[in-house]
């Protein structure tokens, strides 16, 4: 088996487990580390087929503890989500197998099909990609699972907020007071839990890799990955999470525009302005606790201008814009 880099090496027990889930006559002929993930080691496995061709699988392994909870819980949630999405209009990987307690592998792992496309975090072409993202998220929220996933859990609280250096303390205090109130009542929806550009695969014209220019009109989403945080809760939560990511990646205005685009795509948010604000500010306040962790994958993807300090400044500007927005 050929490894494209040392990080792609698959441990012996895990390799044997993967082989047991291949078709007769198939073999693993290569492995490549997939970068950009923040919660698990990801590898793309090349499988040689009986007819001499190849296909790909993706292996997710939780090597280290995560901020999101036990690996067993995350893998069960992802496996359930992938099963739920089979046959829906939402393109997601197909579940092949999972070992949530590392009964067969060195680490808790999940094996799934590989989707075409790639992520893009460039500023160029965002005008075209924004409505694609909004329509995709609205489609996810129309999924009605036979068995509901677990209710969302807010991992951050008003007491864990970290005010960035130089931010207006009064603005942050006012935003923090918003989430001290009980969460508004909501109509539940099937949530991705981490919907953002880094988890959306795109087919972009090869002559226009950033998705800009005339060719960008044919850009399309080929799939959505990383369903380990799937849950049941308010659509506002997913929208706010993606909007915050866009604000930090591309500037505060894009966070506000995504919320509008989601509604233009037919998505429904909380009816009352104070309820919408609750969900809108909860996301950037949660990001304040882990700015460095959030920025690291973007740096590794080539966005070297997004230093921890630069992301903190955008976070402050975005939160301020939310608090200043008319009701």
């Amino acid at each position: 088996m050929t490894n494209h880099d040392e990080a792609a090496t698959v441990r012996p027990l895990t390799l044997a487990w993967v082989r047991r889930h291949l078709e007769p006559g198939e073999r693993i002929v290569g492995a490549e580390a997939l970068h950009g993930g923040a919660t698990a080691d990801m590898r793309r496995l090349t499988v040689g087929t009986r007819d001499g061709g190849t296909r790909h699988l993706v292996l997710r392994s939780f090597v280290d503890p995560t901020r999101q909870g036990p690996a067993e819980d995350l893998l069960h949630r992802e496996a359930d989500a992938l099963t739920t999405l089979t046959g829906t209009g939402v393109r997601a990987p197909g579940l092949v197998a999972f070992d949530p307690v590392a009964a067969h592998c060195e680490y808790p792992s999940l094996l799934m099909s590989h989707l075409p496309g790639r992520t893009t975090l460039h500023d160029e072409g965002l005008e075209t990609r924004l409505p694609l993202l909004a329509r995709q998220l609205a489609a996810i929220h129309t999924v009605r699972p036979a068995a509901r996933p677990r209710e969302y859990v807010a991992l951050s609280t008003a007491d864990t907020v970290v005010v960035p250096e130089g931010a207006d303390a009064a603005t942050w205090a006012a935003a923090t007071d918003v989430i001290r109130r009980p969460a508004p009542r909501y109509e539940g929806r099937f949530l991705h839990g981490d919907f953002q550009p880094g988890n959306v695969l795109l087919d972009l014209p090869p002559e226009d890799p950033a998705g800009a220019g005339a060719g960008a009109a044919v850009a399309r989403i080929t799939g959505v990955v990383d369903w380990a945080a799937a849950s049941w809760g308010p659509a506002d939560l997913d929208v706010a999470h993606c909007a915050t990511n866009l604000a930090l990646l591309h500037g505060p205005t894009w966070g506000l525009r995504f919320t509008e685009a989601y509604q233009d795509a037919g998505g429904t948010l909380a009816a009352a302005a104070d309820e919408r604000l609750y969900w809108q500010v909860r996301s950037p306040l949660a990001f304040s606790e882990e700015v460095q962790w959030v920025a690291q994958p973007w740096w590794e993807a080539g966005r070297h201008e997004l230093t921890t300090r630069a992301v903190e400044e955008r976070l402050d500007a975005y939160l301020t814009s939310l608090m200043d927005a008319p009701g």
Side-chain angles (χ1 to χ4, degrees), residues 51-315:
D51 61 4
T54 59
R55 66 186 181 101
H56 294 101
L57 296 172
V58 173
L59 173 68
R60 176 198 289 272
S61 296
F62 284 93
V63 177
D64 299 312
T66 73
R67 294 171 173 81
Q68 287 72 30
E72 178 181 359
D73 176 52
L74 297 175
L75 289 179
H76 271 291
R77 290 165 69 181
E78 180 151 36
D80 289 344
L82 298 185
T83 301
T84 292
L85 292 166
T86 301
T88 69
V90 178
R91 286 207 66 190
L95 177 66
V96 177
F98 74 117
D99 180 15
V101 295
H104 308 285
C105 306
E106 282 83 357
Y107 303 106
S109 299
L110 184 143
L111 186 66
M112 64 192 118
S113 64
H114 176 266
L115 295 178
R118 60 183 177 83
T119 61
T120 181
L121 305 177
H122 299 290
D123 289 335
E124 297 81 7
L126 183 58
E127 186 81 35
T128 298
R129 299 195 304 272
L130 193 78
L132 295 180
L133 293 170
R135 289 196 293 270
Q136 181 64 81
L137 186 55
I140 289 170
H141 293 161
T142 66
V143 173
R144 295 294 179 265
R148 287 186 182 181
R150 77 169 202 180
E151 202 82 5
Y152 86 94
V153 175
L155 299 179
S156 58
T157 70
D159 295 326
T160 58
V161 171
V162 179
V163 180
E165 181 182 350
D168 182 69
T171 298
W172 279 74
T176 303
D177 284 342
V178 169
I179 67 167
R180 290 189 192 279
R181 304 195 303 260
R185 297 184 64 180
Y186 58 85
E187 183 178 355
R189 291 285 187 268
F190 180 69
L191 305 182
H192 179 279
D194 188 18
F195 186 87
Q196 41 94 2
N199 285 329
V200 178
L201 301 176
L202 292 153
D203 177 23
L204 296 171
E207 72 277 8
D208 191 14
V218 299
R220 64 185 182 91
I221 291 176
T222 58
V224 181
V225 298
D226 194 355
W227 293 85
S231 61
W232 187 261
D236 297 72
L237 204 60
D238 261 356
V239 174
H241 182 79
C242 187
T244 303
N245 274 274
L246 290 168
L248 302 186
L249 274 167
H250 308 294
T253 299
W254 291 102
L256 301 175
R257 290 183 62 177
F258 179 76
T259 301
E260 296 173 356
Y262 174 82
Q263 294 172 294
D264 290 343
T268 302
L269 298 176
D274 61 334
E275 294 178 348
R276 290 194 300 274
L277 183 64
Y278 177 92
W279 302 113
Q280 285 175 321
V281 301
R282 173 167 281 287
S283 184
L285 291 175
F287 273 58
S288 75
E289 304 170 31
E290 48 192 27
V291 172
Q292 184 175 359
W293 179 75
V294 168
Q296 184 64 31
W298 299 340
W299 173 276
E300 294 173 355
R303 295 293 306 272
H304 293 163
E305 77 280 15
L306 294 180
T307 62
T308 299
R309 182 59 187 149
V311 173
E312 283 181 337
E313 290 174 349
R314 287 188 173 183
L315 182 66

